[in-house]
Amino acid sequence: MAQTQKNKATAHHLGLLKARLAKLRRELITPKGGGGGGPGEVARTCNLILIVLDVLKPLGHKKIIENELEGFGIRLNSKPPNTGFKKKDKGGINLTATCPQSELDAETVKSILAEYKIPNADVTPPSDATADDLIDVVEGNRVYIPCIYVLSKIDQISIEELDIIYKVPHCVPISAHHRWNFDDLLEKIQDYLKLVRIYTKPKAQLPDYTSPVVLPYSRTIMEDFCMKIHKNLTKEFKYALVWGLSVKHNPQKVGKDHTLEDEDVIQIVKK
């Protein structure tokens, strides 16, 4: 692939090679006999990946690790391709593009799908799609995980170089030796994981800001909060008083279906 010049004439040949490579990678990483996988399979289950790099030579190591993760079907800081793909019983391969395609044409699509022994399918890219996009959709086993690049040893570079690093997306510069910038890293982890922190307030006492109850962004209704504390709490729950961004009045009386926001304060009243 590295030796093939990229142009319209070689697009279908490159697409075919990419499809073959994707199939080989899948065969290599699929555990035989139902056994557990290695580090790559563990990484696939993560909510966030941190890649720690030496700030003095980050690019080479970054590429090696990214290629390794990509081989396990992991896509970093990207969204699933929105290319439509539907197998059918007859009618051959149909490519219906709603906008000009710089990489995919009928021949490229046919050669990729032939590698997967798919003779009949409809492919509908709503935007300019790549061969990799189509392969990812056909494979159907990709995982899309946020990633933070932690650039260590910043005590060995200049302020000017540090300013440049701060402009690089998804990067946090730190010094592990001096424990510099750990707060920034923790804040970025919180942001990328989309965690919601909820503080509790016992009756007639101040809120406890030292140990929040942490909920994933997808499970932030009051019932989720109760289940996190104890499953019996949902049965004993009468109502809750909430202070914070999720309510119009402070405090506001809410039920079990109320959606909480980050850093809300809660006082639960039992039956």
Side-chain angles (χ1 to χ4, degrees):
M1 282 168 65
Q3 291 166 357
T4 306
Q5 194 175 357
K6 286 186 181 179
N7 56 49
K8 204 72 176 167
T10 60
H12 74 278
H13 174 65
L14 282 169
L16 177 66
L17 291 176
K18 284 178 178 179
R20 256 179 216 166
L21 188 59
K23 280 178 68 185
L24 288 167
R25 278 176 168 165
R26 173 163 38 87
E27 287 165 17
L28 281 170
I29 65 173
T30 303
K32 302 290 186 288
E41 285 303 302
V42 174
R44 284 175 62 88
T45 65
C46 293
N47 297 104
L48 174 66
I49 291 174
L50 300 186
I51 296 178
V52 183
L53 300 164
D54 185 333
V55 76
L56 301 173
K57 44 186 176 183
L59 292 179
H61 293 167
K62 178 175 179 281
K63 201 68 194 160
I64 291 166
I65 296 168
E66 283 175 344
N67 286 343
E68 192 76 17
L69 292 172
E70 195 164 298
F72 285 100
I74 296 166
R75 302 290 177 264
L76 301 175
N77 295 325
S78 60
K79 292 179 179 177
N82 55 0
T83 300
F85 168 70
K86 189 179 180 183
K87 290 184 193 177
K88 53 187 185 180
D89 296 329
K90 56 185 178 181
I93 305 294
N94 289 319
L95 172 65
T96 310
T98 54
C99 68
Q101 298 293 308
S102 58
E103 195 169 315
L104 288 184
D105 57 22
E107 193 178 354
T108 304
V109 170
K110 279 179 186 174
S111 64
I112 290 171
L113 296 183
E115 186 62 29
Y116 289 95
K117 295 181 171 58
I118 299 171
N120 305 297
D122 289 329
V123 177
T124 50
S127 56
D128 190 9
T130 64
D132 288 317
D133 290 338
L134 178 57
I135 291 163
D136 282 358
V137 169
V138 174
E139 285 277 342
N141 62 353
R142 306 307 193 218
V143 289
Y144 298 83
I145 303 174
C147 173
I148 298 170
Y149 299 95
V150 183
L151 297 175
S152 194
K153 299 186 183 175
I154 58 167
D155 50 306
Q156 297 182 27
I157 62 171
S158 68
I159 294 292
E160 291 77 19
E161 287 169 317
L162 188 58
D163 285 341
I164 293 166
I165 288 166
Y166 256 112
K167 291 171 186 170
V168 179
H170 314 298
C171 282
V172 178
I174 67 157
S175 167
H177 179 69
H178 295 288
R179 302 181 72 82
W180 289 349
N181 214 31
F182 281 17
D183 286 351
D184 256 20
L185 177 58
L186 289 172
E187 198 174 307
K188 199 132 190 160
I189 289 170
Q190 153 88 19
D191 183 38
Y192 275 47
L193 282 173
K194 294 184 176 175
L195 297 176
V196 174
R197 296 159 293 180
I198 307 297
Y199 301 105
T200 54
K201 181 189 180 305
K203 194 174 180 181
Q205 293 181 40
L206 289 169
D208 178 10
Y209 289 114
T210 58
S211 51
V213 176
V214 179
L215 300 172
Y217 190 71
S218 58
R219 300 182 66 85
T220 56
I221 63 168
M222 183 63 72
E223 192 168 4
D224 296 323
F225 172 82
C226 292
M227 288 296 286
K228 183 92 176 186
I229 302 293
H230 197 284
K231 60 183 177 183
N232 289 339
L233 189 55
T234 54
K235 296 172 190 171
E236 299 165 1
F237 181 92
K238 187 177 181 184
Y239 66 87
L241 295 172
V242 177
W243 293 256
L245 292 172
S246 72
V247 291
K248 290 179 181 175
H249 316 289
N250 286 300
Q252 187 171 316
K253 190 173 169 181
V254 302
K256 273 195 277 192
D257 59 348
H258 177 74
T259 301
L260 299 162
E261 294 276 352
D262 188 34
E263 298 199 278
D264 275 357
V265 174
I266 291 179
Q267 181 182 313
I268 288 178
V269 178
K270 296 180 182 178
K271 291 174 183 172

